[in-house]
Amino acid sequence: MTDLAFTVTGVRADPYAAGPTLVFRLRITASGGTRVHALALRCQLRIEPARRDYGPAEAAALHDLFGDRSRWGGTLHPVQLAQVAVMVPGFTGETETDVVVPCSYDTDISAGRYLAALEDGEAPLLMLFSGTAFTGTGGFRVEPVPWNREASCRLPVAVWREMMEQHFPGCGWLRLPRDTMADLLAYRSRHALASWEETVRALLDAARAAEPPPRDPAWAGAVLPRATGRTAP
């Protein structure tokens, strides 16, 4: 069986993609200079949160995912980021290819929430491989890619933030059920609001106006006696 080795040599954001997209550069090496006619890969990409340290602000932001820091010894489990398929053209010995990974800005998804919580540094990732290799010199053989093939890599937080800022400049992202969206759309249309920002602000202003004013404490407005003389020693 052909021995295949995988190494991630870099990661960048695709500036021309329609949505947030990471591009991982993958080096593939076939043992003994073997001829590989084609390689059908399945790549599972996951975050390994136990492989880095976290500051106080990051720990607070990750509380929903992993609980209190005192429990992290048993809660920092891997987080699924993506699963993609890659078709690698034929090569002999060694080649490099791009692994294109579409990303989500949905903070309801664990991976998005984790990456949004990081302030700087790098996010530790692990790429796991499986698939089928078509090899051979005279003809070709069909061989499975062993399930134990993997490659570690690190995603700079700056790359992630730059990518999200490019597609969602100065914005957050909120996912709502379809019926709630329909109600919001009807409210926006009914009040002739120009944008979703105006719609949400109008609802917030209406909620603030409906809130009862804060009650004054019992002593508010009371006239306190003036102290005109010296106190006794």
Side-chain angles (χ1 to χ4, degrees):
M1 182 179 295
T2 304
D3 186 18
L4 296 170
F6 301 90
T7 306
V8 178
T9 61
V11 56
R12 59 182 174 84
D14 186 349
Y16 306 109
T21 303
L22 292 172
V23 181
F24 293 83
R25 191 64 177 171
L26 181 66
R27 179 182 299 145
I28 306 169
T29 305
S31 61
T34 302
R35 172 64 179 165
V36 178
H37 300 288
L39 184 60
L41 278 181
R42 291 186 296 274
C43 307
Q44 178 187 351
L45 192 62
R46 71 186 191 189
I47 301 167
E48 301 278 295
R51 289 169 45 204
R52 65 157 283 169
D53 297 325
Y54 302 92
E58 292 174 331
L62 292 171
H63 184 273
D64 287 347
L65 282 178
F66 305 122
D68 294 329
R69 192 190 285 267
S70 60
R71 300 174 51 215
W72 282 9
T75 61
L76 288 184
H77 300 302
V79 176
Q80 179 85 356
L81 178 61
Q83 189 161 342
V84 297
V86 181
M87 196 67 193
V88 182
F91 65 94
T92 300
E94 185 177 281
T95 189
E96 290 193 2
T97 190
D98 287 336
V99 179
V100 179
V101 179
C103 300
S104 172
Y105 196 29
D106 186 355
T107 52
D108 284 342
I109 298 174
S110 298
R113 193 184 314 172
Y114 173 86
L115 291 166
L118 302 185
E119 295 184 333
D120 53 23
E122 297 172 325
L125 306 180
L126 183 66
M127 193 173 289
L128 307 169
F129 301 98
S130 61
T132 305
F134 302 89
T135 65
T137 50
F140 69 87
R141 300 188 305 272
V142 179
E143 304 178 9
V145 176
W147 283 86
N148 62 352
R149 294 298 181 264
E150 59 186 39
S152 298
C153 58
R154 303 189 79 84
L155 168 63
V157 174
V159 171
W160 174 267
R161 291 190 179 279
E162 179 183 354
M163 176 182 68
M164 289 305 177
E165 186 64 22
Q166 176 187 349
H167 292 278
F168 305 97
C171 299
W173 193 94
L174 183 64
R175 183 176 62 177
L176 297 171
R178 188 176 291 111
D179 55 347
T180 304
M181 284 298 301
D183 291 340
L184 281 174
L185 184 59
Y187 179 89
R188 175 179 172 177
S189 177
R190 195 163 55 246
H191 292 81
L193 298 168
S195 66
W196 286 115
E197 181 181 359
E198 287 188 23
T199 304
V200 175
R201 287 195 177 279
L203 289 169
L204 290 174
D205 291 341
R208 291 193 192 100
E211 290 178 355
R215 296 181 60 185
D216 293 332
W219 49 265
V223 179
L224 300 179
R226 292 183 61 186
T228 56
R230 287 182 63 180
T231 56

